[in-house]
Amino acid sequence: MRVLVQKFGGTSVSSAERRAQVAAKISEAVREGYSPVVVVSAIGRSGDPYATDTFINMVKGIAVESPKREMDLLMSCGEIISGVVLTSTLKDLGLDAVLLTGGQAGIITNNCFGDARIIRVEPKNILNHLEAGRIVVVAGFQGVTEDGQITTLGRGGSDTTAAALGVALDAEDIDIYTDVEGIMTADPRIVEDARILDVVTYNEICHLAHQGAKVIHPRAVEIAMQRNIPIRIKCTFSDAPGTLVTCLQPDMGVGTDITGDRTTTGIAYTPNVTQIQVPTVDIPDQLQANKQIFKGMALADISVDFISVQPEGVLFTVPDDLAEKAVKILENLGFNPSSVPGCAKVSVVGAGIAGVPGVMADLVHALSDAGVRILQSADSHTTIWVLVNKEDMILAVQALHKKFLLGT
Ligand code: ADP
Ligand code: MG
């Protein structure tokens, strides 16, 4: 059996016309001899009647804090609705299809409601249906705990569902269908001449995705990478070949070193972060203070980013919506923090960045010429990050994209 996982995002299933295009991609896979396992997201985006955000908004404000377990029950409905509609579309075309919830598909998660981790996949049910010649449609973004509680997988969770099923079923490919023609050198919504990347490594896309390129969820890439299952990012609405995500091994048939000529792969951005500054210079026991700051954040489940610990003080960023909570905790601990809300993190990602002289010089040059002030910077062997004011974010992405000659 040649299993092919095909995942369709929210915009791909948002109208009858689009669902017909989705059905055409699935029929094509059947014609080519594949047994398709189709993962669907909820229909549409925020504001649309059955989109995940619409469900969340229905409950917002009723209680001070929405009950997490029940919110997952609510949110899991979006993918089920979408799955029923798509399965009906397929049946109407004479195709034999069945819809499974995440739980019915054997996706077992931990009990971290709202952001659950897949711990195991039991593919028996899916395999039985595939063997009976059925197309299996699976509601994405959801699973079930060992004791039967419905969970959801967090933002981008349908990508994770697709990857986990791909690995569990030893799929030939995991095809992620979306509204762009592949992974591009930057978000095409803000960079006009962004270029499609034909082939990228798991590593490169993982870094880009972690830095905000939301075309695929980084966790999905990590899962597929464990078993070397190729991922293809394709467009539902065209026949473009898309982007192949693979590893560097020559036996994959894509050449030996596909990134050898590439210093930078792309530019990504994460908006809506707050920079928090905690002066520690006047605190006698500075070592103890540093410990207290990060322990305080950890105990409150606030994940910090862009950390810089210096003799003068500690700098880090948190998502905007957690900033108030973070500042309060620090004040209660006796610190005197200040915050800069409305920042954005812009990242230059490239497997070849390490050790190449002049990359930082080019970056600073480009941003200075564009009049963008750098609030903070950091680098690793694959990424250089800068923190800028939100108003400068688009300008910064465009300037860096141009400077690193990433466009068409
Ligand atoms: P889906 O609903 O299909 O999962 P998403 O909205 O999650 O779709 O992801 C697709 C979007 O990702 C595109 O519309 C595009 O604006 C955005 N995007 C951000 N960075 C990139 C990038 N580097 N390449 C391609 N798309 C990107
Ligand atoms: Mg997505």
Side-chain angles (χ1 to χ4, degrees), residues 7 9-10 45 178-180 182-184 186-189 213-215:
K7 180 253 166 178
R45 299 226 164 107
T178 183
D179 59 354
V180 286
I183 298 170
M184 307 178 91
D187 187 346
R189 280 178 217 218
K214 66 169 191 159
V215 63

Side-chain angles (χ1 to χ4, degrees), residues 40-345:
V40 279
S41 296
I43 294 175
R45 299 226 164 107
S46 185
D48 293 331
Y50 306 111
T52 308
D53 285 320
T54 309
F55 291 141
I56 295 173
N57 287 333
M58 283 171 78
V59 185
K60 227 184 205 164
I62 296 179
V64 179
E65 210 163 311
S66 308
K68 285 195 160 177
R69 176 185 170 279
E70 283 69 22
M71 284 308 286
D72 272 11
L73 281 173
L74 176 62
M75 286 196 287
S76 69
C77 296
E79 277 66 19
I80 295 176
I81 293 169
S82 170
V84 173
V85 174
L86 183 64
T87 307
S88 307
T89 307
L90 294 173
K91 283 184 181 256
D92 189 50
L93 293 169
L95 296 160
D96 191 6
V98 62
L99 168 68
L100 303 178
T101 64
Q104 290 168 341
I107 293 173
I108 314 295
T109 72
N110 65 11
N111 63 0
C112 192
F113 294 108
D115 196 20
R117 279 254 170 164
I118 299 175
I119 50 181
R120 197 172 74 244
V121 178
E122 291 169 2
K124 206 166 150 269
N125 199 10
I126 295 185
L127 285 169
N128 287 343
H129 283 295
L130 290 178
E131 269 152 23
R134 276 174 216 122
I135 296 164
V136 178
V137 180
V138 178
F141 175 67
Q142 56 177 265
V144 75
T145 62
E146 303 274 9
D147 61 350
Q149 308 289 330
I150 290 176
T151 52
T152 66
L153 307 177
R155 292 281 142 170
S158 293
D159 294 340
T160 315
T161 304
L165 291 178
V167 166
L169 298 162
D170 196 21
E172 228 174 89
D173 251 312
I174 300 164
D175 288 352
I176 306 283
Y177 283 93
T178 183
D179 59 354
V180 286
E181 293 200 329
I183 298 170
M184 307 178 91
T185 48
D187 187 346
R189 280 178 217 218
I190 65 172
V191 177
E192 232 174 51
D193 67 339
R195 195 166 41 83
I196 294 174
L197 298 159
D198 300 330
V199 185
V200 296
T201 62
Y202 291 114
N203 229 338
E204 284 176 295
I205 183 59
C206 222
H207 288 298
L208 268 178
H210 270 297
Q211 302 316 322
K214 66 169 191 159
V215 63
I216 185 167
H217 195 275
R219 182 86 193 110
V221 182
E222 281 159 10
I223 293 172
M225 181 163 68
Q226 289 171 17
R227 289 287 169 83
N228 247 336
I229 313 258
I231 300 176
R232 274 171 214 277
I233 313 283
K234 292 184 178 180
C235 182
T236 308
F237 316 117
S238 82
D239 287 323
T243 300
L244 170 64
V245 185
T246 179
C247 65
L248 280 174
Q249 280 161 22
D251 64 13
M252 297 298 286
V254 287
T256 42
D257 187 352
I258 50 183
T259 57
D261 57 352
R262 196 148 74 200
T263 307
T264 45
T265 311
I267 316 292
Y269 61 92
T270 314
N272 309 325
V273 299
T274 294
Q275 185 193 49
I276 297 195
Q277 308 169 352
V278 194
T280 56
V281 70
D282 296 327
I283 299 176
D285 191 350
Q286 213 182 43
L287 299 181
Q288 183 62 23
N290 290 346
K291 265 178 21 189
Q292 265 186 317
I293 291 168
F294 292 108
K295 196 166 170 207
M297 295 299 106
L299 287 176
D301 251 350
I302 299 175
S303 102
V304 293
D305 193 22
F306 231 132
I307 303 154
S308 166
V309 182
Q310 294 162 5
E312 302 78 42
V314 170
L315 278 180
F316 59 87
T317 60
V318 297
D320 274 343
D321 54 358
L322 292 177
E324 213 183 299
K325 185 173 168 189
V327 166
K328 251 194 202 118
I329 292 168
L330 292 165
E331 283 171 352
N332 288 344
L333 287 168
F335 295 104
N336 188 17
S338 56
S339 58
V340 186
C343 299
K345 189 168 83 162

Side-chain angles (χ1 to χ4, degrees), residues 344-357:
K345 189 168 83 162
V346 176
S347 315
V348 179
V349 177
I353 272 182
V356 177

